[in-house]
Amino acid sequence: MPRTNILAGAVWLFTAAAIFAGCENSIEPLAEDANSFVFLNGFLDTATDSQFVRLEGLRPTILAAPRDLSGVDVLTVDRTSGEIVVWKDSLVVLKDGSDGHLYMGLFTPQEGHDYEFVVRRPGLEAATATTTIPDEPEIQVSTPTGDTIVFTQKASLRDVFSAPSTLAMRYDVSIPETGEIQTFMIDYGIEGGAAGTGWSFDVFLFRDQQIISFSLGLPTNVASLALRRIAAGVVINSAEWNRQENPTNLALAQGFFGSVGRFELGWKLDPSDVFKMGFLDEQDLWMGAKQDLFRRKTVLLAVPRQ
């Protein structure tokens, strides 16, 4: 059985602050060839409509000043749809007190699309970086098995043959007496393994219900909560994350550029299985992310790993 960590709240994916922090890595931009002129660091993220990439001019030698990036145009080209987005720049103060040049593009990357990140200099060849956004995998689930102590369900992410960078279970539950709705994310870590048609893992249905009830101070042997929705929260990295030391997607540039796909893959349980978990069944009342927002409580709750 995996170690567990539980988060309650609507946001389980990286926040904008976390994405920005990823752009603050210390860099020593030194050109390895005469033509490369820019160091870039960032990735496209399907979970947000604001994308961030940090740029810095490469130094031709250790003692030389960085190449000037003033006057450059930065844009992305969706090579699948043809859409072009122009990015805006701003100077930010990093954690070490130094200035950073951050560019922002306002769009949400689409799964399966090919993107080209372009840095253009007047009258000179542009630097480029490319990435393909991971596709949303199909989830396949079996009939739950076991008793009321060990009650599990097999799930498989079709055509995913390496561990997702994040695997979590999402439970949207309501308190029938008040109608209050809460969302819980239980971190499964690197659970499961590649088998058959994809990445297979066990969903610990009864254990997860016990964790949720305990975190709310409710009795674990009484059905005090109702299940609105169950889903697997999956984060899949693009191929570039496996080639960070030797990237093949950059031209006239150094650094890192990739993408992540963040997906919530839901399914419906049989009402008898919901009851066996220890929940009441309200799955038919689920209306999506905008459901009952005025009654939805979003708090952050961490339970130490065991």
Side-chain angles (χ1 to χ4, degrees):
M1 188 175 295
R3 297 178 179 178
T4 61
N5 188 50
I6 182 169
L7 299 178
V11 181
W12 68 275
L13 304 168
F14 287 148
T15 63
I19 296 169
F20 176 75
C23 297
E24 289 203 18
N25 295 338
S26 176
I27 57 178
E28 295 293 339
L30 185 65
E32 296 177 353
D33 61 72
N35 296 319
S36 294
F37 69 92
V38 65
F39 188 102
L40 55 90
N41 183 24
F43 57 91
L44 303 183
D45 192 325
T46 61
T48 178
D49 58 6
S50 300
Q51 312 300 314
F52 298 94
V53 173
R54 181 184 170 192
L55 300 184
E56 186 165 341
L58 287 167
R59 301 173 186 269
T61 65
I62 293 178
L63 298 179
R67 288 190 169 95
D68 185 14
L69 295 183
S70 61
V72 301
D73 294 320
V74 177
L75 54 92
T76 44
V77 180
D78 183 338
R79 300 195 296 192
T80 303
S81 69
E83 180 184 12
I84 297 175
V85 175
V86 178
W87 291 46
K88 303 295 185 181
D89 69 315
S90 62
L91 287 175
V92 296
V93 179
L94 304 178
K95 290 180 179 179
D96 62 3
S98 63
D99 291 333
H101 211 165
L102 197 68
Y103 280 78
M104 179 176 68
L106 297 178
F107 69 102
T108 301
Q110 301 301 303
E111 62 180 84
H113 284 214
D114 296 320
Y115 288 88
E116 182 177 37
F117 184 82
V118 182
V119 183
R120 290 177 175 168
R121 298 175 295 173
L124 298 172
E125 189 176 356
T128 62
T130 58
T131 188
T132 299
I133 310 297
D135 284 308
E136 178 177 314
E138 174 188 353
I139 192 164
Q140 301 172 326
V141 296
S142 65
T143 301
T145 60
D147 54 30
T148 55
I149 301 301
V150 181
F151 188 51
T152 63
Q153 184 175 29
K154 285 285 186 184
S156 178
L157 305 175
R158 187 174 180 85
D159 296 328
V160 176
F161 294 101
S162 58
S165 62
T166 297
L167 177 61
M169 285 303 303
R170 169 174 175 156
Y171 297 91
D172 290 274
V173 302
S174 70
I175 301 175
E177 291 81 0
T178 65
E180 181 181 80
I181 300 170
Q182 293 196 37
T183 299
F184 293 85
M185 297 300 304
I186 299 181
D187 179 14
Y188 270 43
I190 305 178
E191 162 68 16
T197 60
W199 189 264
S200 179
F201 62 98
D202 288 320
V203 181
F204 296 91
L205 298 171
F206 178 75
R207 182 209 64 179
D208 291 353
Q209 186 276 342
Q210 297 278 287
I211 292 173
I212 293 169
S213 295
F214 180 79
S215 71
L216 293 174
L218 298 174
T220 57
N221 58 346
V222 178
S224 311
L225 299 170
L227 179 68
R228 291 290 180 95
R229 181 177 183 247
I230 181 175
V234 180
V235 179
I236 298 177
N237 291 341
S238 64
E240 291 78 30
W241 295 86
N242 296 322
R243 298 195 292 261
Q244 295 184 57
E245 299 300 322
N246 185 29
T248 59
N249 65 323
L250 307 179
L252 299 187
Q254 294 179 30
F256 173 78
F257 183 74
S259 58
V260 296
R262 306 183 193 272
F263 310 106
E264 287 191 353
L265 312 172
W267 65 93
K268 187 175 181 179
L269 290 167
D270 186 88
S272 64
D273 292 326
V274 175
F275 182 77
K276 197 170 182 179
M277 288 174 68
F279 286 125
L280 302 172
D281 183 26
E282 290 186 356
Q283 294 175 99
D284 289 338
L285 298 181
W286 174 257
M287 298 170 56
K290 294 183 179 179
Q291 164 196 277
D292 294 330
L293 287 181
F294 65 96
R295 291 187 298 167
R296 184 185 297 275
K297 185 177 182 181
T298 56
V299 297
L300 186 63
L301 173 66
V303 174
R305 292 177 181 268
Q306 299 176 348

PDB file of all heavy atoms in Angstrom, residues 177-205:
ATOM      1  N   GLU A 177     -25.979  17.129   5.402  1.00  0.00           N
ATOM      2  CA  GLU A 177     -26.731  18.007   6.295  1.00  0.00           C
ATOM      3  C   GLU A 177     -26.619  19.478   5.905  1.00  0.00           C
ATOM      4  O   GLU A 177     -27.542  20.268   6.110  1.00  0.00           O
ATOM      5  CB  GLU A 177     -26.259  17.843   7.746  1.00  0.00           C
ATOM      6  CG  GLU A 177     -26.605  16.497   8.370  1.00  0.00           C
ATOM      7  CD  GLU A 177     -25.636  15.401   7.968  1.00  0.00           C
ATOM      8  OE1 GLU A 177     -24.679  15.698   7.200  1.00  0.00           O
ATOM      9  OE2 GLU A 177     -25.827  14.254   8.400  1.00  0.00           O
ATOM     10  N   THR A 178     -25.492  19.866   5.348  1.00  0.00           N
ATOM     11  CA  THR A 178     -25.249  21.277   5.022  1.00  0.00           C
ATOM     12  C   THR A 178     -25.142  21.539   3.522  1.00  0.00           C
ATOM     13  O   THR A 178     -25.244  22.683   3.091  1.00  0.00           O
ATOM     14  CB  THR A 178     -23.953  21.762   5.694  1.00  0.00           C
ATOM     15  OG1 THR A 178     -22.840  21.043   5.138  1.00  0.00           O
ATOM     16  CG2 THR A 178     -24.009  21.544   7.194  1.00  0.00           C
ATOM     17  N   GLY A 179     -24.910  20.511   2.733  1.00  0.00           N
ATOM     18  CA  GLY A 179     -24.688  20.695   1.309  1.00  0.00           C
ATOM     19  C   GLY A 179     -23.303  21.203   0.974  1.00  0.00           C
ATOM     20  O   GLY A 179     -22.998  21.474  -0.188  1.00  0.00           O
ATOM     21  N   GLU A 180     -22.447  21.359   1.982  1.00  0.00           N
ATOM     22  CA  GLU A 180     -21.081  21.832   1.749  1.00  0.00           C
ATOM     23  C   GLU A 180     -20.299  20.801   0.941  1.00  0.00           C
ATOM     24  O   GLU A 180     -20.380  19.605   1.206  1.00  0.00           O
ATOM     25  CB  GLU A 180     -20.399  22.079   3.092  1.00  0.00           C
ATOM     26  CG  GLU A 180     -18.978  22.599   2.961  1.00  0.00           C
ATOM     27  CD  GLU A 180     -18.349  22.792   4.333  1.00  0.00           C
ATOM     28  OE1 GLU A 180     -17.903  21.794   4.929  1.00  0.00           O
ATOM     29  OE2 GLU A 180     -18.316  23.937   4.801  1.00  0.00           O
ATOM     30  N   ILE A 181     -19.556  21.283  -0.040  1.00  0.00           N
ATOM     31  CA  ILE A 181     -18.795  20.406  -0.921  1.00  0.00           C
ATOM     32  C   ILE A 181     -17.305  20.662  -0.716  1.00  0.00           C
ATOM     33  O   ILE A 181     -16.873  21.815  -0.654  1.00  0.00           O
ATOM     34  CB  ILE A 181     -19.162  20.635  -2.399  1.00  0.00           C
ATOM     35  CG1 ILE A 181     -20.650  20.351  -2.611  1.00  0.00           C
ATOM     36  CG2 ILE A 181     -18.318  19.751  -3.308  1.00  0.00           C
ATOM     37  CD1 ILE A 181     -21.152  20.772  -3.973  1.00  0.00           C
ATOM     38  N   GLN A 182     -16.534  19.603  -0.628  1.00  0.00           N
ATOM     39  CA  GLN A 182     -15.085  19.719  -0.518  1.00  0.00           C
ATOM     40  C   GLN A 182     -14.426  18.782  -1.517  1.00  0.00           C
ATOM     41  O   GLN A 182     -14.964  17.731  -1.867  1.00  0.00           O
ATOM     42  CB  GLN A 182     -14.610  19.384   0.898  1.00  0.00           C
ATOM     43  CG  GLN A 182     -15.065  20.385   1.950  1.00  0.00           C
ATOM     44  CD  GLN A 182     -14.284  20.260   3.239  1.00  0.00           C
ATOM     45  OE1 GLN A 182     -13.085  20.010   3.234  1.00  0.00           O
ATOM     46  NE2 GLN A 182     -14.968  20.448   4.353  1.00  0.00           N
ATOM     47  N   THR A 183     -13.269  19.194  -1.958  1.00  0.00           N
ATOM     48  CA  THR A 183     -12.478  18.395  -2.889  1.00  0.00           C
ATOM     49  C   THR A 183     -11.216  17.936  -2.188  1.00  0.00           C
ATOM     50  O   THR A 183     -10.489  18.758  -1.628  1.00  0.00           O
ATOM     51  CB  THR A 183     -12.121  19.210  -4.141  1.00  0.00           C
ATOM     52  OG1 THR A 183     -13.315  19.600  -4.809  1.00  0.00           O
ATOM     53  CG2 THR A 183     -11.264  18.380  -5.093  1.00  0.00           C
ATOM     54  N   PHE A 184     -10.952  16.652  -2.232  1.00  0.00           N
ATOM     55  CA  PHE A 184      -9.762  16.074  -1.617  1.00  0.00           C
ATOM     56  C   PHE A 184      -8.892  15.441  -2.689  1.00  0.00           C
ATOM     57  O   PHE A 184      -9.389  14.732  -3.562  1.00  0.00           O
ATOM     58  CB  PHE A 184     -10.143  15.006  -0.584  1.00  0.00           C
ATOM     59  CG  PHE A 184     -10.845  15.550   0.625  1.00  0.00           C
ATOM     60  CD1 PHE A 184     -12.217  15.751   0.617  1.00  0.00           C
ATOM     61  CD2 PHE A 184     -10.131  15.878   1.756  1.00  0.00           C
ATOM     62  CE1 PHE A 184     -12.868  16.255   1.727  1.00  0.00           C
ATOM     63  CE2 PHE A 184     -10.771  16.386   2.877  1.00  0.00           C
ATOM     64  CZ  PHE A 184     -12.137  16.575   2.858  1.00  0.00           C
ATOM     65  N   MET A 185      -7.580  15.713  -2.586  1.00  0.00           N
ATOM     66  CA  MET A 185      -6.610  15.064  -3.467  1.00  0.00           C
ATOM     67  C   MET A 185      -5.671  14.226  -2.612  1.00  0.00           C
ATOM     68  O   MET A 185      -5.050  14.750  -1.689  1.00  0.00           O
ATOM     69  CB  MET A 185      -5.808  16.103  -4.247  1.00  0.00           C
ATOM     70  CG  MET A 185      -6.629  16.959  -5.180  1.00  0.00           C
ATOM     71  SD  MET A 185      -7.502  16.036  -6.466  1.00  0.00           S
ATOM     72  CE  MET A 185      -6.149  15.162  -7.232  1.00  0.00           C
ATOM     73  N   ILE A 186      -5.584  12.939  -2.880  1.00  0.00           N
ATOM     74  CA  ILE A 186      -4.707  12.039  -2.145  1.00  0.00           C
ATOM     75  C   ILE A 186      -3.558  11.633  -3.059  1.00  0.00           C
ATOM     76  O   ILE A 186      -3.763  11.004  -4.099  1.00  0.00           O
ATOM     77  CB  ILE A 186      -5.465  10.808  -1.638  1.00  0.00           C
ATOM     78  CG1 ILE A 186      -6.585  11.248  -0.692  1.00  0.00           C
ATOM     79  CG2 ILE A 186      -4.523   9.840  -0.926  1.00  0.00           C
ATOM     80  CD1 ILE A 186      -7.398  10.113  -0.113  1.00  0.00           C
ATOM     81  N   ASP A 187      -2.365  12.025  -2.665  1.00  0.00           N
ATOM     82  CA  ASP A 187      -1.167  11.778  -3.463  1.00  0.00           C
ATOM     83  C   ASP A 187      -0.793  10.310  -3.393  1.00  0.00           C
ATOM     84  O   ASP A 187      -0.553   9.760  -2.325  1.00  0.00           O
ATOM     85  CB  ASP A 187      -0.025  12.664  -2.940  1.00  0.00           C
ATOM     86  CG  ASP A 187       1.272  12.453  -3.701  1.00  0.00           C
ATOM     87  OD1 ASP A 187       1.234  11.828  -4.783  1.00  0.00           O
ATOM     88  OD2 ASP A 187       2.317  12.917  -3.211  1.00  0.00           O
ATOM     89  N   TYR A 188      -0.723   9.653  -4.554  1.00  0.00           N
ATOM     90  CA  TYR A 188      -0.356   8.241  -4.625  1.00  0.00           C
ATOM     91  C   TYR A 188       1.129   8.026  -4.896  1.00  0.00           C
ATOM     92  O   TYR A 188       1.580   6.883  -4.972  1.00  0.00           O
ATOM     93  CB  TYR A 188      -1.184   7.547  -5.704  1.00  0.00           C
ATOM     94  CG  TYR A 188      -2.489   6.971  -5.206  1.00  0.00           C
ATOM     95  CD1 TYR A 188      -3.308   7.692  -4.336  1.00  0.00           C
ATOM     96  CD2 TYR A 188      -2.921   5.717  -5.604  1.00  0.00           C
ATOM     97  CE1 TYR A 188      -4.511   7.171  -3.884  1.00  0.00           C
ATOM     98  CE2 TYR A 188      -4.115   5.184  -5.154  1.00  0.00           C
ATOM     99  CZ  TYR A 188      -4.915   5.911  -4.296  1.00  0.00           C
ATOM    100  OH  TYR A 188      -6.102   5.390  -3.843  1.00  0.00           O
ATOM    101  N   GLY A 189       1.885   9.104  -5.071  1.00  0.00           N
ATOM    102  CA  GLY A 189       3.310   8.933  -5.362  1.00  0.00           C
ATOM    103  C   GLY A 189       3.508   8.175  -6.663  1.00  0.00           C
ATOM    104  O   GLY A 189       2.755   8.319  -7.616  1.00  0.00           O
ATOM    105  N   ILE A 190       4.531   7.337  -6.709  1.00  0.00           N
ATOM    106  CA  ILE A 190       4.780   6.509  -7.902  1.00  0.00           C
ATOM    107  C   ILE A 190       4.160   5.142  -7.638  1.00  0.00           C
ATOM    108  O   ILE A 190       4.829   4.163  -7.323  1.00  0.00           O
ATOM    109  CB  ILE A 190       6.285   6.405  -8.209  1.00  0.00           C
ATOM    110  CG1 ILE A 190       6.899   7.798  -8.338  1.00  0.00           C
ATOM    111  CG2 ILE A 190       6.515   5.638  -9.507  1.00  0.00           C
ATOM    112  CD1 ILE A 190       8.391   7.795  -8.582  1.00  0.00           C
ATOM    113  N   GLU A 191       2.864   5.085  -7.744  1.00  0.00           N
ATOM    114  CA  GLU A 191       2.124   3.852  -7.498  1.00  0.00           C
ATOM    115  C   GLU A 191       1.937   3.108  -8.814  1.00  0.00           C
ATOM    116  O   GLU A 191       1.666   3.703  -9.850  1.00  0.00           O
ATOM    117  CB  GLU A 191       0.764   4.180  -6.865  1.00  0.00           C
ATOM    118  CG  GLU A 191      -0.281   3.079  -6.933  1.00  0.00           C
ATOM    119  CD  GLU A 191       0.085   1.878  -6.070  1.00  0.00           C
ATOM    120  OE1 GLU A 191       0.967   2.010  -5.207  1.00  0.00           O
ATOM    121  OE2 GLU A 191      -0.523   0.816  -6.260  1.00  0.00           O
ATOM    122  N   GLY A 192       2.063   1.782  -8.776  1.00  0.00           N
ATOM    123  CA  GLY A 192       1.780   0.976  -9.947  1.00  0.00           C
ATOM    124  C   GLY A 192       3.002   0.714 -10.810  1.00  0.00           C
ATOM    125  O   GLY A 192       4.150   0.873 -10.391  1.00  0.00           O
ATOM    126  N   GLY A 193       2.738   0.330 -12.044  1.00  0.00           N
ATOM    127  CA  GLY A 193       3.815   0.015 -12.978  1.00  0.00           C
ATOM    128  C   GLY A 193       3.257  -0.235 -14.362  1.00  0.00           C
ATOM    129  O   GLY A 193       2.044  -0.384 -14.571  1.00  0.00           O
ATOM    130  N   ALA A 194       4.147  -0.255 -15.354  1.00  0.00           N
ATOM    131  CA  ALA A 194       3.749  -0.497 -16.737  1.00  0.00           C
ATOM    132  C   ALA A 194       3.344  -1.958 -16.901  1.00  0.00           C
ATOM    133  O   ALA A 194       4.078  -2.864 -16.507  1.00  0.00           O
ATOM    134  CB  ALA A 194       4.885  -0.141 -17.682  1.00  0.00           C
ATOM    135  N   ALA A 195       2.172  -2.169 -17.471  1.00  0.00           N
ATOM    136  CA  ALA A 195       1.683  -3.532 -17.682  1.00  0.00           C
ATOM    137  C   ALA A 195       0.613  -3.505 -18.759  1.00  0.00           C
ATOM    138  O   ALA A 195      -0.240  -2.618 -18.776  1.00  0.00           O
ATOM    139  CB  ALA A 195       1.111  -4.113 -16.385  1.00  0.00           C
ATOM    140  N   GLY A 196       0.666  -4.484 -19.650  1.00  0.00           N
ATOM    141  CA  GLY A 196      -0.366  -4.589 -20.680  1.00  0.00           C
ATOM    142  C   GLY A 196      -0.406  -3.379 -21.589  1.00  0.00           C
ATOM    143  O   GLY A 196       0.554  -3.054 -22.279  1.00  0.00           O
ATOM    144  N   THR A 197      -1.535  -2.639 -21.545  1.00  0.00           N
ATOM    145  CA  THR A 197      -1.731  -1.515 -22.466  1.00  0.00           C
ATOM    146  C   THR A 197      -1.330  -0.172 -21.884  1.00  0.00           C
ATOM    147  O   THR A 197      -1.501   0.852 -22.545  1.00  0.00           O
ATOM    148  CB  THR A 197      -3.206  -1.442 -22.888  1.00  0.00           C
ATOM    149  OG1 THR A 197      -4.025  -1.253 -21.715  1.00  0.00           O
ATOM    150  CG2 THR A 197      -3.637  -2.720 -23.603  1.00  0.00           C
ATOM    151  N   GLY A 198      -0.784  -0.149 -20.649  1.00  0.00           N
ATOM    152  CA  GLY A 198      -0.409   1.148 -20.085  1.00  0.00           C
ATOM    153  C   GLY A 198       0.035   1.044 -18.647  1.00  0.00           C
ATOM    154  O   GLY A 198       0.437  -0.021 -18.169  1.00  0.00           O
ATOM    155  N   TRP A 199      -0.070   2.179 -17.933  1.00  0.00           N
ATOM    156  CA  TRP A 199       0.364   2.258 -16.541  1.00  0.00           C
ATOM    157  C   TRP A 199      -0.787   1.816 -15.639  1.00  0.00           C
ATOM    158  O   TRP A 199      -1.844   2.431 -15.596  1.00  0.00           O
ATOM    159  CB  TRP A 199       0.770   3.684 -16.189  1.00  0.00           C
ATOM    160  CG  TRP A 199       1.430   3.784 -14.837  1.00  0.00           C
ATOM    161  CD1 TRP A 199       0.831   4.115 -13.656  1.00  0.00           C
ATOM    162  CD2 TRP A 199       2.801   3.535 -14.547  1.00  0.00           C
ATOM    163  NE1 TRP A 199       1.758   4.083 -12.635  1.00  0.00           N
ATOM    164  CE2 TRP A 199       2.974   3.725 -13.158  1.00  0.00           C
ATOM    165  CE3 TRP A 199       3.902   3.164 -15.329  1.00  0.00           C
ATOM    166  CZ2 TRP A 199       4.206   3.574 -12.530  1.00  0.00           C
ATOM    167  CZ3 TRP A 199       5.131   3.005 -14.708  1.00  0.00           C
ATOM    168  CH2 TRP A 199       5.275   3.216 -13.325  1.00  0.00           C
ATOM    169  N   SER A 200      -0.580   0.731 -14.893  1.00  0.00           N
ATOM    170  CA  SER A 200      -1.619   0.149 -14.062  1.00  0.00           C
ATOM    171  C   SER A 200      -1.358   0.468 -12.592  1.00  0.00           C
ATOM    172  O   SER A 200      -0.211   0.407 -12.136  1.00  0.00           O
ATOM    173  CB  SER A 200      -1.669  -1.366 -14.279  1.00  0.00           C
ATOM    174  OG  SER A 200      -2.650  -1.966 -13.463  1.00  0.00           O
ATOM    175  N   PHE A 201      -2.417   0.792 -11.851  1.00  0.00           N
ATOM    176  CA  PHE A 201      -2.273   1.080 -10.424  1.00  0.00           C
ATOM    177  C   PHE A 201      -3.560   0.719  -9.694  1.00  0.00           C
ATOM    178  O   PHE A 201      -4.632   0.584 -10.304  1.00  0.00           O
ATOM    179  CB  PHE A 201      -1.920   2.555 -10.184  1.00  0.00           C
ATOM    180  CG  PHE A 201      -2.953   3.540 -10.653  1.00  0.00           C
ATOM    181  CD1 PHE A 201      -3.874   4.094  -9.768  1.00  0.00           C
ATOM    182  CD2 PHE A 201      -2.997   3.936 -11.988  1.00  0.00           C
ATOM    183  CE1 PHE A 201      -4.825   5.000 -10.194  1.00  0.00           C
ATOM    184  CE2 PHE A 201      -3.951   4.847 -12.424  1.00  0.00           C
ATOM    185  CZ  PHE A 201      -4.867   5.380 -11.528  1.00  0.00           C
ATOM    186  N   ASP A 202      -3.436   0.523  -8.387  1.00  0.00           N
ATOM    187  CA  ASP A 202      -4.584   0.214  -7.539  1.00  0.00           C
ATOM    188  C   ASP A 202      -5.131   1.489  -6.918  1.00  0.00           C
ATOM    189  O   ASP A 202      -4.378   2.343  -6.438  1.00  0.00           O
ATOM    190  CB  ASP A 202      -4.187  -0.748  -6.416  1.00  0.00           C
ATOM    191  CG  ASP A 202      -3.917  -2.160  -6.917  1.00  0.00           C
ATOM    192  OD1 ASP A 202      -4.670  -2.620  -7.790  1.00  0.00           O
ATOM    193  OD2 ASP A 202      -2.957  -2.787  -6.436  1.00  0.00           O
ATOM    194  N   VAL A 203      -6.464   1.621  -6.918  1.00  0.00           N
ATOM    195  CA  VAL A 203      -7.145   2.700  -6.214  1.00  0.00           C
ATOM    196  C   VAL A 203      -7.658   2.120  -4.901  1.00  0.00           C
ATOM    197  O   VAL A 203      -8.454   1.173  -4.896  1.00  0.00           O
ATOM    198  CB  VAL A 203      -8.313   3.263  -7.039  1.00  0.00           C
ATOM    199  CG1 VAL A 203      -8.992   4.403  -6.282  1.00  0.00           C
ATOM    200  CG2 VAL A 203      -7.828   3.739  -8.405  1.00  0.00           C
ATOM    201  N   PHE A 204      -7.208   2.689  -3.787  1.00  0.00           N
ATOM    202  CA  PHE A 204      -7.550   2.166  -2.467  1.00  0.00           C
ATOM    203  C   PHE A 204      -8.818   2.865  -1.965  1.00  0.00           C
ATOM    204  O   PHE A 204      -8.764   3.818  -1.174  1.00  0.00           O
ATOM    205  CB  PHE A 204      -6.369   2.354  -1.512  1.00  0.00           C
ATOM    206  CG  PHE A 204      -5.158   1.558  -1.935  1.00  0.00           C
ATOM    207  CD1 PHE A 204      -4.200   2.120  -2.760  1.00  0.00           C
ATOM    208  CD2 PHE A 204      -5.012   0.248  -1.533  1.00  0.00           C
ATOM    209  CE1 PHE A 204      -3.091   1.387  -3.160  1.00  0.00           C
ATOM    210  CE2 PHE A 204      -3.909  -0.502  -1.927  1.00  0.00           C
ATOM    211  CZ  PHE A 204      -2.948   0.064  -2.750  1.00  0.00           C
ATOM    212  N   LEU A 205      -9.955   2.376  -2.436  1.00  0.00           N
ATOM    213  CA  LEU A 205     -11.224   3.058  -2.234  1.00  0.00           C
ATOM    214  C   LEU A 205     -11.583   3.201  -0.753  1.00  0.00           C
ATOM    215  O   LEU A 205     -11.886   4.310  -0.286  1.00  0.00           O
ATOM    216  CB  LEU A 205     -12.337   2.305  -2.970  1.00  0.00           C
ATOM    217  CG  LEU A 205     -12.183   2.218  -4.492  1.00  0.00           C
ATOM    218  CD1 LEU A 205     -13.232   1.273  -5.062  1.00  0.00           C
ATOM    219  CD2 LEU A 205     -12.320   3.592  -5.129  1.00  0.00           C
TER     220      LEU A 205
END
